[in-house]
Amino acid sequence: RIHPVWINLETALSEWASTGLQIIEKTYEIPRIIRMVGKTNARMVKEFTGDKIGGNTDVKIKLTSP
């Protein structure tokens, strides 16, 4: 069984991250340079503005215990 505190932590972190993406989407109008790392750990540098998020601000955080 998963402890209720663990579930609350996952939910709170998911909501926090979603809110952060919503803020970025609305406020990043000036192009910024970001660095991303993909599945193969290949780094990619791109120009980024908040409108590129396109409303996709759903975040699901799943923690694992040791």
Side-chain angles (χ1 to χ4, degrees):
R1 291 180 51 140
I2 300 173
H3 196 279
V5 171
W6 204 255
I7 294 169
N8 288 339
L9 180 62
E10 288 177 342
T11 303
L13 286 172
S14 295
E15 290 174 4
W16 175 76
S18 180
T19 301
L21 285 176
Q22 290 170 12
I23 291 169
I24 289 169
E25 183 178 28
K26 290 181 174 74
T27 60
Y28 280 23
E29 295 175 357
I30 298 170
R32 298 159 193 265
I33 301 296
I34 60 168
R35 183 176 69 181
M36 299 181 290
V37 177
K39 290 180 182 178
T40 61
N41 288 329
R43 290 188 169 95
M44 185 177 6
V45 177
K46 288 192 153 204
E47 231 180 56
F48 174 81
T49 54
D51 61 344
K52 290 186 179 178
I53 292 176
N56 186 11
T57 58
D58 293 335
V59 177
K60 180 78 173 176
I61 293 181
K62 191 82 169 149
L63 303 174
T64 59
S65 59

